[in-house]
Amino acid sequence: MLVEKMKGLYRMNLAGYILGTAGRVGVIFAGYMGSVPLMLAFTAIAALGMAPWQGDMGAVVASCSEYTYLTKHKHIDGTMYSCTSFGTKIGGGIGVALCGWLLDASGFVKEAAVQPASCMNMLHIMYLWIPMILSLVITFIMSEIAIDELLEKWDEEHVLTKEEALAILNLPDDKLDKLIETAYALRLKYKGKKVSIQLLTNVRSGNCSQNCAYCAQSCESHAAIEKYKRVSDEKLYGDNDLVDEKHLARHCIGLSGISFTDAEIEDLADRIRKMKKNDTQICCSIGFLTEKQARMLKDAGLNRINHNLNSSRSYYPNICTTHTYDQRINNIRMLKSIGFEMCCGGIIGMGESKSDVVDMLMDIREINPESVPINFLLPIKGTRLADRDISGLTQQYCLKVLCLARLMVPKSDIRCAAGREVYFKGIEPTLFKVVDSIFASGYLTAGGQGIDDTLNMIKEAGFTGEIESTDR
């Protein structure tokens, strides 16, 4: 009876060896193919190959215990678990039988407390969890190798998968230089060494009906900001004259709020017509427009509209509940269908996961906007995110986000928007290897570096400043 059980166990273990080995070999090949899902599948197969060993261990112990009882009148369940454990290590069923026989023949086997639970836990660790953990470690190592090869031989036609994009955000800091080098090659190809400096005029400030957690103009915000429904003509046209005098590329105007009356849009269109007298390029950051209103602004000469996604579809309800992510997507689609250029980006550091960042950038890639402004959260007193922990926004992580944006939409302007003066202070030469556009003289409700200082900083970094008044 013992021999038959040993034979059965041996066949089971042999099948387990074959399946486990095949799974591990599969992990390696999947790694060279760069497919993380396939690697995880082979990992499961390898672990499955180990499972039969623990399933038949009870039969081994019972048989060995029965054999020793008949010959030595001793029940040795606990000790035999140890024997079978060691035996399985050196050869499956044959090892179990051999070790059991040797220990019994040598007289080493003695009375022992029955401890099947602890022994089975030990077997679980040795034959299930250790192989799975090792396989996952191999998966991680192979995925890093795949990303290294991807960056080394970057193919612009390659469409990054979500797994690859996550691997880039998780890239060890000591490999950041290679990532920046890859991004820099794309930046030089499409943008040269120019850095666009962008200005912003806040046309309508505060009193917004939306509850965006990050925004000082939100209906829930208690931030101390200036509030007005219509900026003065002196301020608006004065900024526009500056654009013309300096031969700037674009003037951006931002309006708080989610919806507007036709009369308000007609007033805005009249102001745009006046600003277009010298064919000034204008971008407008504005809420949701009806198609009729969008055409009114298009007819007035508006060139580009900014409408950020801000975060991923799944995380968006955590930062705003007064409108939906899909409303933003639908608004962008409508504006593109009319013929507007699009500016579309997001905010990093609101509590989202790296997966959320990737999802947002993948949606932006689908939109394929002319410009992608990436903002890094500046917690504003009086907003819901005033106390948000931003310790995770290291210079290295922020650079990885910008590099990923460059790799995903290489032909678009990649803009380091809000937060540049805080998160990238002192590493501007590195920053400009990735981005080709920044803001100066402040944001909608926050100050920023002046134009002259910005131009000097760009020159010192070895790049050429190209002033551009634009969007957010």
Side-chain angles (χ1 to χ4, degrees):
M1 179 170 59
L2 176 62
V3 173
E4 289 303 316
K5 288 185 179 293
M6 289 298 101
K7 287 181 179 179
L9 180 62
Y10 178 73
R11 286 192 293 269
M12 181 67 75
N13 285 346
L14 182 61
Y17 275 130
I18 295 172
L19 192 60
T21 301
R24 289 174 180 175
V25 171
V27 168
I28 294 172
F29 278 103
Y32 278 115
M33 294 168 58
S35 173
V36 174
L38 198 57
M39 293 170 75
L40 293 175
F42 278 118
T43 298
I45 292 174
L48 207 59
M50 306 297 110
W53 296 2
Q54 54 189 1
D56 252 15
M57 221 29 96
V60 175
V61 173
S63 299
C64 292
S65 181
E66 181 181 4
Y67 172 73
T68 54
Y69 178 74
L70 292 174
T71 58
K72 304 289 184 180
H73 301 286
K74 297 175 182 177
H75 283 290
I76 52 169
D77 294 17
T79 303
M80 190 50 67
Y81 265 109
S82 298
C83 297
T84 54
S85 167
F86 181 71
T88 304
K89 280 185 181 180
I90 63 171
I94 292 177
V96 169
L98 180 62
C99 284
W101 179 80
L102 288 173
L103 289 171
D104 179 52
S106 66
F108 182 78
V109 175
K110 302 186 182 300
E111 297 282 357
V114 177
Q115 43 185 336
S118 61
C119 292
M120 190 57 75
N121 287 338
M122 177 182 67
L123 294 174
H124 269 280
I125 292 171
M126 285 194 298
Y127 299 119
L128 180 61
W129 296 115
I130 287 180
M132 287 185 69
I133 291 171
L134 286 175
S135 297
L136 288 172
V137 169
I138 293 172
T139 298
F140 175 76
I141 293 173
M142 295 305 297
S143 66
E144 280 206 3
I145 293 174
I147 289 299
D148 287 346
E149 292 180 351
L150 185 68
L151 295 177
E152 188 69 36
K153 302 175 182 178
W154 180 255
D155 179 6
E156 198 175 327
E157 299 301 317
H158 176 71
V159 178
L160 282 173
T161 65
K162 182 172 182 178
E163 291 76 16
E164 290 169 336
L166 279 171
I168 287 173
L169 291 185
N170 287 316
L171 203 66
D173 290 346
D174 60 6
K175 296 184 178 181
L176 181 56
D177 287 347
K178 181 58 186 176
L179 177 61
I180 292 173
E181 181 184 328
T182 304
Y184 188 33
L186 291 171
R187 186 244 202 271
L188 289 176
K189 179 178 179 180
Y190 292 109
K191 306 298 176 180
K193 298 199 73 172
K194 291 183 179 180
V195 179
S196 297
I197 303 173
Q198 300 152 73
L199 302 172
L200 179 62
T201 303
N202 197 356
V203 175
R204 186 164 88 171
S205 178
N207 299 310
C208 183
S209 62
Q210 303 304 289
N211 66 349
C212 302
Y214 55 86
C215 187
Q217 304 184 80
S218 156
C219 63
E220 295 182 352
S221 169
H222 303 291
I225 63 170
E226 186 179 4
K227 298 179 181 180
Y228 49 84
K229 292 198 67 174
R230 188 178 188 273
V231 75
S232 68
D233 287 350
E234 181 182 5
K235 168 63 175 173
L236 179 62
Y237 297 141
D239 284 355
N240 200 69
D241 288 341
L242 176 64
V243 172
D244 294 335
E245 291 168 9
K246 298 288 185 179
H247 304 288
L248 311 185
R250 184 174 288 109
H251 184 196
C252 175
I253 54 177
L255 291 84
S256 65
I258 196 69
S259 61
F260 306 85
T261 66
D262 287 351
E264 289 173 325
I265 295 300
E266 184 55 49
D267 176 61
L268 178 61
D270 286 341
R271 303 180 96 181
I272 289 174
R273 289 187 186 94
K274 293 178 182 178
M275 289 190 289
K276 291 287 291 183
K277 64 182 183 298
N278 292 326
D279 200 29
T280 309
Q281 294 294 300
I282 298 175
C283 174
C284 184
S285 180
I286 198 168
F288 298 146
L289 299 172
T290 65
E291 185 171 339
K292 174 186 175 183
Q293 291 173 344
R295 292 190 182 280
M296 289 165 65
L297 295 180
K298 183 70 174 174
D299 291 342
L302 183 62
N303 310 100
R304 181 180 295 185
I305 289 185
N306 164 256
H307 201 84
N308 291 334
L309 295 184
N310 290 326
S311 191
S312 70
R313 177 180 274 102
S314 61
Y315 194 73
Y316 200 78
N318 292 287
I319 60 173
C320 182
T321 58
T322 47
H323 64 268
T324 68
Y325 187 87
D326 285 323
Q327 282 180 283
R328 285 185 171 264
I329 292 288
N330 292 336
N331 186 61
I332 291 170
R333 287 173 178 166
M334 182 271 290
L335 294 171
K336 286 194 69 174
S337 71
I338 292 176
F340 280 108
E341 293 180 356
M342 290 305 306
C343 172
C344 181
I347 306 172
I348 309 299
M350 298 186 291
E352 74 285 344
S353 67
K354 292 178 181 177
S355 181
D356 289 316
V357 174
V358 170
D359 287 342
M360 178 189 74
L361 288 174
M362 291 181 79
D363 283 344
I364 289 174
R365 179 174 64 186
E366 195 71 24
I367 293 167
N368 193 28
E370 279 70 23
S371 59
V372 181
I374 302 296
N375 300 271
F376 297 92
L377 182 69
L378 294 172
I380 299 174
K381 186 177 180 180
T383 66
R384 279 198 285 135
L385 297 184
D387 298 319
R388 171 64 62 187
D389 179 13
I390 55 173
S391 60
L393 295 183
T394 63
Q395 288 183 338
Q396 292 83 357
Y397 176 64
C398 293
L399 281 170
K400 289 171 191 175
V401 172
L402 292 171
C403 285
L404 182 58
R406 174 64 71 192
L407 296 181
M408 295 189 82
V409 277
K411 297 180 182 179
S412 300
D413 291 345
I414 304 300
R415 295 175 174 168
C416 184
R420 171 180 64 84
E421 296 90 339
V422 174
Y423 298 105
F424 299 93
K425 188 175 182 179
I427 62 165
E428 287 83 2
T430 301
L431 173 65
F432 294 142
K433 287 185 176 182
V434 183
V435 306
D436 61 288
S437 190
I438 59 174
F439 285 110
S441 294
Y443 307 93
L444 287 173
T445 59
Q449 187 178 36
I451 294 176
D452 290 339
D453 289 340
T454 301
L455 281 169
N456 289 333
M457 177 260 298
I458 291 172
K459 184 178 180 180
E460 290 173 1
F463 291 80
T464 303
E466 178 188 16
I467 306 176
E468 179 183 357
S469 171
T470 184
D471 45 309
R472 178 184 178 206

